[in-house]
Amino acid sequence: MFSFILRKLATVIPTFIGITLVAFALIRMIPGDPIEVMVGERKLDPVMHAAAMQRLGLDQPLHIQYFRYVKDLAQGDLGISLVTREPVTKEFLTLFPATVELAICALLFAVLVGLPAGMIAGLKRGSVFDHGVMGVSMTGFSMPIFWWGLILIMYFSVTLGWTPVSGRIDIEFDIAQRTGFLLIDSWLSGEEGAFKSAAMHLILPTIVLGTIPLAVIARMTRSSMLEVLREDYIRTARAKGLAPTRVVVVHALRNALIPVITVIGLQVGSLLGGAVLTETIYSWPGIGKWLVDSISRRDYPVVQAGILVSATIFIVVNLFVDILYGVVNPRIRSAK
Amino acid sequence: MSLLKIRNLRVEFGSLAHPFPAVDGLDFDIDRGELVGIVGESGSGKSVTMMALMGLIDAPGRVTADELVFDGHDLLKLKPAQRRKIVGKDISMIFQDALTSLNPSYTVGFQIKESLKVHMGLRGAALEKRALELLELVEIPAAKSRLGAYPHQLSGGMNQRVMIAVAIACNPKLLIADEPTTALDVTIQAQIMDLLERLQKEHNMGLIMITHDLAVIAEMAKRICVMYAGQVVEQAPVADLFRAPRHPYTQALLEAIPEHSKGARRLSALPGIVPGHYDRPKGCLLSPRCRYAQDKCSQERPALLDGVRCYYPLNAEGESTHG
């Protein structure tokens, strides 16, 4: 098992180097530089522009800039935002918990609803339930996220007034940041109504962000279940005289979950990388929104860091999934 | 009283309006400690019959029978939960491809112990001991270390031995082996057959050996049952069947054994295939493929009389007895 993990880690290194290159190059390919964007429509004196660029170190040849970036990176320094002049790491750490909180809730929603729904649909193939689940998940999968988010706001927030429109918590609450997760912090604060407010703010973004993962998980679980139920070893399990629930839970489910775990892992990676649309619609102060804002400001260090961190999370989650995969599927573990 | 008594078993698939009988009025008996071979080509209903016996036919498949009595229990009248107390304990079954028939996610030990836990209620040290004993019984070397192995780490022959260990775990009264050696090398085939024969004798089990290869069971079985298109077409002691087959289909099967046709330049083959859903003959099911078929054969179904389902059974010289 240990060498399995080491082998997996070794494959990560080249990927990581590739990401730093891409993150560095991509943002510089967009026309305009940070100074021009800051100045905007006003006319800019070329001398002042050059001086500003020099001050930011952006006048250096690209390879020098890249090596400086990598050198800082190796020391754990993500640089300083060109716009706010704050360390990128600090900004990231304030915003990341919001993304994580939303991602965890969305994923829980997707797994807790999607897995059982897909499983039952697979077991009751061709039933009304099966058709219902597949229809709903197809709809969920094909729906544009921004439209779905707006529809929910219009109905539940505006018409019914059940949930708040946007943000993480009502403005009247001033919650001290301890964990960064507002659900926990508001609970710890002991302020009356704070936890409820935080929870209510989470509901709609959770549903919107969880919809696509839910649809994917439900479909994958169903098809995987159907496939496994046709396997010879299921016939063997039944020939042993095992009860139907034991056949499904012990013999079918474990094998059916193998591909589902991969799918869930991929979803975790993309959810943690920041939900750009959902965070924007609900003014959710997470890293998705941060990244989008920084791109329009050509805030090079922030964009580089944002891409790098998102990609790293994606890689780490995938690595974790691979390891988990090895735990669930003994055939992978011994593969050389 | 026989251990298993099947009368007029029918297994149908397809719609109620256009049913397809995979097993069509099958009668079968086996006694305690008896070894019976069932032969027939692919699609003759051998496996489906046994699946029906095990209760493994799912809707839309339909199983009916006048009698399906095992050891005094009419299986079709039992509730599913009661039936599961018999299936896997007193009747058990091994399958063709052992690797795919074992669950890839669990160790061999787990899969053997599962039956012992569910049916015998064994736990702890007794469970461990019995599992080890079973692996030794099926002649797996280094049995102790193999308990923790996964099926993909074992060879095909080893996996089939594990399957056998699972099947005999609860000392079944009847073991069904559904082409247990088809997926194995010839040398391993012989070993597995010897093992099954030994276990059958030692434990006085009824053993139904399903195969499409007559030669495989010629030496082992006392009695052979030949199936075609869901029916038993001939049933006879091995020696009689080999010396003087009475049904044209049995004759054709025997002629297809290479050792039986020494001197012939070409191996004899029966033309055509087993009838399917839409080309099931009105008369004798073999009539379109039978070289001796007469008018009567394509008009009416013959019944199983005196161990053979044919209007014109072959005589001792292998000639047809019509006109």
Side-chain angles (χ1 to χ4, degrees):
Chain A
M1 195 67 199
F2 185 66
S3 71
F4 171 80
I5 296 172
L6 274 188
R7 277 203 305 278
K8 284 286 168 195
L9 273 177
T11 62
V12 164
I13 295 166
T15 321
F16 201 76
I17 295 172
I19 293 165
T20 61
L21 263 172
V22 171
F24 181 84
L26 271 184
I27 183 66
R28 282 172 174 75
M29 280 180 186
I30 309 176
D33 58 52
I35 310 296
E36 280 173 22
V37 174
M38 262 186 252
V39 175
E41 295 290 304
R42 283 167 294 165
K43 199 154 172 57
L44 182 65
D45 177 16
V47 179
M48 279 178 65
H49 179 249
M53 289 295 271
Q54 195 182 3
R55 206 169 52 244
L56 297 177
L58 296 174
D59 58 333
Q60 303 281 331
L62 279 182
H63 66 275
I64 304 278
Q65 289 187 42
Y66 176 72
F67 283 119
R68 188 182 295 160
Y69 159 60
V70 172
K71 195 181 129 221
D72 288 348
L73 194 63
Q75 295 167 352
D77 181 2
L78 289 173
I80 288 176
S81 163
L82 301 181
V83 178
T84 62
R85 309 307 296 166
E86 292 271 353
V88 174
T89 315
K90 189 182 152 207
E91 284 197 351
F92 171 77
L93 288 179
T94 8
L95 298 172
F96 191 52
T99 292
V100 174
E101 185 172 44
L102 180 56
I104 291 176
C105 290
L107 193 75
L108 277 179
F109 168 68
V111 171
L112 292 182
V113 178
L115 248 180
M119 220 179 96
I120 297 170
L123 289 172
K124 308 255 175 221
R125 183 187 196 174
S127 65
V128 177
F129 183 85
D130 181 23
H131 290 301
V133 167
M134 286 307 102
V136 169
S137 81
M138 198 63 203
T139 315
F141 190 69
S142 356
M143 225 167 6
I145 282 296
F146 63 90
W147 178 81
W148 175 225
L150 291 176
I151 290 290
L152 287 184
I153 291 179
M154 277 169 62
Y155 190 66
F156 289 102
S157 307
V158 179
T159 310
L160 295 176
W162 288 358
T163 58
V165 175
S166 65
R168 286 183 84 187
I169 195 161
D170 283 338
I171 201 150
E172 64 197 79
F173 298 105
D174 184 21
I175 306 295
Q177 185 168 347
R178 295 187 214 186
T179 58
F181 299 109
L182 258 184
L183 277 183
I184 301 175
D185 286 348
S186 63
W187 182 269
L188 292 176
S189 75
E191 272 190 66
E192 202 180 328
F195 177 76
K196 192 182 166 213
S197 172
M200 293 304 276
H201 277 84
L202 253 172
I203 293 176
L204 291 190
T206 294
I207 293 175
V208 169
L209 189 58
T211 298
I212 287 181
L214 190 155
V216 174
I217 290 170
R219 295 188 78 85
M220 192 70 206
T221 310
R222 173 183 182 269
S223 68
S224 176
M225 200 76 197
L226 283 177
E227 200 171 303
V228 166
L229 287 175
R230 277 197 300 268
E231 293 284 347
D232 286 348
Y233 54 78
I234 296 301
R235 181 185 59 188
T236 308
R238 295 178 62 203
K240 277 178 171 178
L242 304 178
T245 40
R246 187 174 167 95
V247 172
V248 169
V249 175
V250 176
H251 288 270
L253 196 57
R254 177 146 179 193
N255 290 291
L257 282 185
I258 293 171
V260 178
I261 286 175
T262 318
V263 168
I264 294 178
L266 291 175
Q267 300 293 336
V268 173
S270 58
L271 287 181
L272 286 179
V276 173
L277 285 172
T278 310
E279 289 185 0
T280 309
I281 295 168
Y282 290 95
S283 302
W284 193 264
I287 58 169
K289 193 163 174 292
W290 179 53
L291 194 56
V292 174
D293 293 346
S294 308
I295 291 173
S296 57
R297 293 186 204 132
R298 306 289 186 281
D299 196 341
Y300 293 167
V302 173
V303 176
Q304 283 166 11
I307 294 175
L308 186 69
V309 170
S310 297
T312 308
I313 292 170
F314 198 82
I315 292 176
V316 170
V317 170
N318 268 313
L319 183 69
F320 183 72
V321 170
D322 274 343
I323 293 169
L324 197 62
Y325 207 80
V327 173
V328 182
N329 186 354
R331 281 167 295 181
I332 300 285
R333 222 178 301 156
S334 53
K336 286 278 158 8
Chain B
M1 192 184 74
S2 56
L3 178 64
L4 173 71
K5 183 178 180 190
I6 301 178
R7 288 293 174 272
N8 192 25
L9 176 72
R10 286 182 71 81
V11 182
E12 289 179 348
F13 295 98
S15 64
L16 283 170
H18 300 280
F20 170 70
V23 179
D24 192 354
L26 178 126
D27 297 343
F28 182 81
D29 293 85
I30 184 168
D31 284 326
R32 279 169 208 281
E34 196 187 7
L35 201 169
V36 179
I38 298 186
V39 292
E41 67 197 294
S42 305
S44 55
K46 310 173 301 256
S47 300
V48 178
T49 303
M50 294 307 141
M51 299 283 275
L53 172 60
M54 298 292 284
L56 298 179
I57 305 283
D58 288 321
R62 296 176 294 277
V63 179
T64 55
D66 294 346
E67 278 182 83
L68 187 61
V69 180
F70 172 79
D71 201 23
H73 304 279
D74 191 333
L75 295 178
L76 290 180
K77 294 207 177 87
L78 291 180
K79 291 203 179 78
Q82 291 172 312
R83 191 167 178 180
R84 285 199 300 271
K85 286 190 177 136
I86 297 175
V87 167
K89 181 171 182 283
D90 294 330
I91 316 177
S92 60
M93 187 161 176
I94 59 177
F95 303 96
Q96 188 169 337
D97 190 342
L99 180 62
T100 60
S101 296
L102 289 167
N103 193 323
S105 295
Y106 293 99
T107 61
V108 160
F110 177 92
Q111 302 190 49
I112 295 176
K113 288 174 195 163
E114 191 174 30
S115 298
L116 295 171
K117 279 194 270 189
V118 170
H119 291 297
M120 317 280 275
L122 291 184
R123 296 286 184 276
L127 178 64
E128 206 67 35
K129 183 166 161 274
R130 175 66 181 155
L132 192 60
E133 195 179 288
L134 281 164
L135 277 192
E136 280 162 0
L137 203 59
V138 295
E139 296 159 12
I140 288 186
K144 193 152 199 167
S145 64
R146 294 291 159 78
L147 277 177
Y150 288 93
H152 72 273
Q153 295 167 326
L154 301 178
S155 67
M158 283 298 158
N159 276 318
Q160 194 56 282
R161 286 170 193 273
V162 171
M163 271 304 291
I164 295 173
V166 171
I168 62 166
C170 309
N171 291 318
K173 294 172 182 149
L174 177 64
L175 176 64
I176 302 162
D178 188 357
E179 309 210 11
T181 58
T182 309
L184 301 174
D185 294 342
V186 181
T187 47
I188 310 293
Q189 278 187 17
Q191 292 174 14
I192 295 288
M193 283 302 187
D194 288 347
L195 173 67
L196 282 172
E197 198 177 5
R198 178 173 69 78
L199 292 170
Q200 186 261 333
K201 287 206 177 91
E202 284 174 7
H203 294 81
N204 197 33
M205 284 186 296
L207 176 58
I208 299 176
M209 184 73 84
I210 301 176
T211 177
H212 56 244
D213 185 354
L214 264 175
V216 168
I217 48 166
E219 297 162 25
M220 289 170 66
K222 292 265 164 358
R223 183 157 62 88
I224 288 183
C225 202
V226 181
M227 279 188 73
Y228 181 78
Q231 296 185 326
V232 173
V233 293
E234 181 166 3
Q235 207 174 159
V238 170
D240 297 355
L241 192 101
F242 270 76
R243 192 177 60 244
R246 289 188 299 153
H247 197 282
Y249 182 65
T250 316
Q251 187 185 47
L253 279 184
L254 288 171
E255 283 171 1
I257 300 176
E259 289 81 355
H260 255 245
S261 51
K262 275 180 192 134
R265 288 191 58 234
R266 287 178 68 90
L267 200 55
S268 157
L270 187 64
I273 54 165
V274 179
H277 196 158
Y278 297 104
D279 56 355
R280 217 168 156 79
K282 196 172 109 202
C284 169
L285 294 170
L286 186 67
S287 58
R289 300 172 75 186
C290 181
R291 70 184 102 159
Y292 308 114
Q294 302 295 305
D295 286 348
K296 188 181 178 190
C297 299
S298 53
Q299 297 305 319
E300 273 176 81
R301 292 258 168 96
L304 189 66
L305 277 179
D306 194 21
V308 60
R309 193 184 287 272
C310 183
Y311 288 124
Y312 311 105
L314 307 176
N315 60 22
E317 278 71 48
E319 291 155 351
S320 185
T321 50
H322 65 81

